[in-house]
């Protein structure tokens, strides 16, 4: 099973947004700087997240993005699904043609694992992640680093 960059970056960006939402709309350039994700890639991801109503865009000066709902109501599986990321551990992408056009011996095992992973991610909200001490420590470090970058650029 492999969760690609698209899914990992979408979850990372959404967690960053949730952590900084108390300051008002968050710009993609700020997320980009803190997380090391290209701005153009974030724009593509956030277009999909907006269509899924997981984020709302705010235009104008001081604009950016806000969460589309409460942190406790946005689950990791929703984010992964919104960016069309597949959590699939089967070799055949759930088609059942893994061995000469037929299901292989372990097709149902890997298919069940995919479902378990999706269910696991469906039980973890952004709020759950925000409460984790290690997430808070890393976010504080990133904020301090980001603050130093802004000060040296001024």
């Amino acid at each position: 099973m492999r969760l690609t960059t698209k899914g990992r970056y979408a979850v990372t960006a959404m967690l960053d947004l949730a952590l900084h939402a108390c300051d008002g709309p968050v710009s993609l350039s700020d997320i980009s700087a803190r997380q090391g994700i290209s701005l153009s890639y974030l724009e593509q991801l956030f277009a999909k997240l907006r269509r899924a109503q997981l984020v709302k865009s705010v235009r104008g000066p001081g604009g950016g993005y806000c969460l589309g709902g409460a942190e406790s109501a946005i689950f990791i599986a929703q984010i992964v699904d919104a960016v069309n990321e597949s959590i699939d551990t089967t070799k055949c992408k759930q088609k059942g043609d893994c061995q000469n056009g037929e299901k292989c011996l372990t097709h149902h095992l890997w298919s069940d694992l995919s479902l378990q992973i999706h269910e696991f991610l469906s039980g973890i909200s952004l709020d759950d992640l925000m409460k984790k001490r290690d997430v808070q420590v890393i976010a504080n470090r990133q904020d301090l680093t980001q603050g130093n970058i802004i000060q040296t650029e001024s």
Side-chain angles (χ1 to χ4, degrees):
M1 196 232 78
R2 204 179 122 214
L3 185 61
T4 66
T5 302
K6 189 190 318 182
R8 286 186 289 114
Y9 280 1
V11 171
T12 299
M14 286 290 288
L15 182 55
D16 184 287
L17 176 62
L19 288 164
H20 294 91
C22 60
D23 301 329
V26 179
S27 73
L28 292 184
S29 61
D30 285 347
I31 296 172
S32 173
R34 280 189 295 268
Q35 302 308 325
I37 303 170
S38 105
L39 184 57
S40 61
Y41 201 65
L42 282 174
E43 289 168 347
Q44 293 171 35
L45 292 175
F46 271 71
K48 292 179 180 188
L49 294 167
R50 192 169 26 89
R51 279 193 292 275
Q53 299 179 345
L54 295 176
V55 297
K56 296 176 185 174
S57 61
V58 178
R59 295 187 181 268
Y65 284 89
C66 298
L67 292 176
E71 296 95 345
S72 59
I74 299 175
F75 294 88
I76 305 308
Q78 291 175 288
I79 298 167
V80 172
D81 292 343
V83 295
N84 303 321
E85 182 68 18
S86 170
I87 301 173
D88 184 10
T89 57
T90 64
K91 185 168 85 173
C92 62
K93 298 186 173 138
Q94 297 288 345
K95 293 177 189 166
D97 60 357
C98 13
Q99 187 175 38
N100 301 322
E102 301 291 329
K103 289 181 183 171
C104 67
L105 279 175
T106 55
H107 175 83
H108 293 291
L109 170 70
W110 303 128
S111 183
D112 289 348
L113 176 60
S114 298
L115 290 172
Q116 289 291 320
I117 292 168
H118 196 272
E119 285 179 28
F120 173 74
L121 295 177
S122 293
I124 301 171
S125 69
L126 287 174
D127 188 53
D128 294 332
L129 291 178
M130 291 170 64
K131 290 177 182 173
K132 290 186 173 283
R133 179 165 160 54
D134 59 335
V135 169
Q136 294 171 4
V137 168
I138 293 166
N140 287 335
R141 184 199 70 218
Q142 290 174 339
D143 289 344
L144 288 172
T145 303
Q146 181 65 15
N148 289 337
I149 292 170
I150 291 170
Q151 287 176 357
T152 55
E153 289 176 355
S154 303

